[in-house]
Amino acid sequence: MSIKKALFNWSSGKDSAIALYKILQNPSCKIECLMTSVNQQFQRISMHGVRVELLEAQAKSIGLPLKILEIPEMPTMEVYENVMTEALTELKEQGISHSVFGDIFLEDLRKYREDQLAKLGFEGVFPIWKIPSHDLIQEFISLGFKTIVVCVNERYLDKSFVGRVIDQDFINDLPENVDVCGENGEFHTFAFDGPIFSEPINFEIGEIVYRKYEKPKTEESSNTACNTNSSDAFDYGFWYCDLIPKR
């Protein structure tokens, strides 16, 4: 059996966590590194708003090398794709041929990823593809994973949801139009404990802030680059919960 060398596109959230858990159990695939896009100006994970120090703590606890892609605050698709192409070209020289994602059901996003990867001779791998969201979140909880909501889109959820740990109460409180995994960009999370971690990630909850983004002048936006649905546009605001590393 030939073993595929792969990179894992790590967002820091729950979908990444359970997708990584599943792919690590696949003997035909060897994860060589985690790769995460970070806001160059603020040194925080794109869209999630999580500090780089906590991202680094996750990688250390998981036990995998971390490759950070620094992306400008409001990148064009051309800028994002250039950064990604440079990173993948470098990784390909190391024998890596596959790229793993935690996407669940967004067909257009998967096609975009696969089309971009094919240009560079990479294949996409989607360990949790088409698993029903309700089943996936229940499995996530039952495996002992823990995750906190660090960003909510005000189009779907109000301020009260940010800063909450996902449990049955959180799931029960979600409006009917919100996917329980936030796959449509309704919310983003930070995974801090579970079977892939050698130790929990220590942090304390800091300030909750509101940020509104300007709508892009073109149809293309940086959201695809940030592992979110393109419908999650910038004409409304987001609530962020700052997580402060504890040593």
Side-chain angles (χ1 to χ4, degrees):
M1 179 181 64
S2 60
I3 297 178
K4 301 172 290 192
K5 285 188 174 183
L7 69 98
F8 190 95
N9 294 273
W10 179 257
S11 73
S12 81
K14 58 177 177 40
D15 298 340
S16 279
I18 195 165
L20 180 58
Y21 170 82
K22 288 181 179 292
I23 199 68
L24 287 174
Q25 297 177 72
N26 183 345
S28 68
C29 192
K30 184 176 187 294
I31 303 300
E32 297 289 337
C33 69
L34 305 176
M35 189 167 73
T36 307
S37 60
V38 166
N39 183 304
Q40 193 173 47
Q41 180 180 354
F42 296 105
Q43 289 298 294
R44 291 174 182 259
I45 299 172
S46 301
M47 281 310 298
H48 290 227
V50 173
R51 301 176 188 226
V52 166
E53 298 97 309
L54 288 170
L55 169 63
E56 292 171 339
Q58 283 183 320
K60 182 179 179 181
S61 183
I62 292 169
L64 285 170
L66 173 65
K67 185 173 182 62
I68 291 176
L69 303 186
E70 294 200 345
I71 308 290
E73 166 73 355
M74 293 289 285
T76 62
M77 287 306 300
E78 182 181 7
V79 168
Y80 171 77
E81 288 170 2
N82 286 342
V83 172
M84 184 63 71
T85 296
E86 183 179 341
L88 291 177
T89 301
E90 179 184 320
L91 291 170
K92 188 175 183 181
E93 292 172 356
Q94 299 171 25
I96 295 175
S97 58
H98 290 69
S99 186
V100 187
F101 298 91
D103 299 323
I104 306 173
F105 58 71
L106 298 177
E107 299 279 359
D108 58 341
L109 183 55
R110 175 167 177 165
K111 184 179 187 307
Y112 168 79
R113 297 200 198 283
E114 291 179 326
D115 289 347
Q116 295 302 115
L117 289 171
K119 294 176 184 177
L120 299 169
F122 276 77
E123 289 186 38
V125 181
F126 301 83
I128 59 174
W129 186 250
K130 293 297 184 181
I131 298 177
S133 296
H134 283 87
D135 295 345
L136 196 62
I137 196 65
Q138 293 301 331
E139 182 181 4
F140 179 87
I141 293 171
S142 67
L143 285 168
F145 279 106
K146 294 180 181 177
T147 194
I148 184 170
V149 178
V150 290
C151 170
V152 300
N153 184 331
E154 70 171 355
R155 182 182 179 187
Y156 303 100
L157 297 169
D158 61 41
K159 179 182 178 181
S160 69
F161 284 90
V162 75
R164 290 181 60 177
V165 171
I166 292 187
D167 55 15
Q168 292 300 330
D169 288 338
F170 177 89
I171 294 167
N172 293 339
D173 289 343
L174 287 174
E176 287 186 8
N177 66 324
V178 172
D179 179 70
V180 293
C181 285
E183 178 72 346
N184 296 305
E186 298 98 328
F187 61 90
H188 302 290
T189 64
F190 175 78
F192 60 89
D193 199 4
I196 61 173
F197 298 106
S198 62
E199 59 182 11
I201 312 303
N202 290 321
F203 63 88
E204 58 186 10
I205 295 176
E207 186 180 9
I208 292 177
V209 298
Y210 177 81
R211 190 168 186 198
K212 194 168 184 117
Y213 295 89
E214 294 181 9
K215 191 175 176 116
K217 295 178 182 177
T218 66
E219 291 181 2
E220 296 172 334
S221 79
S222 60
N223 283 326
T224 304
C226 298
N227 294 329
T228 65
N229 185 9
S230 57
S231 68
D232 190 10
F234 290 114
D235 55 348
Y236 29 80
F238 297 82
W239 287 103
Y240 289 93
C241 175
D242 190 18
L243 303 182
I244 302 169
K246 283 178 68 176
R247 291 174 175 81

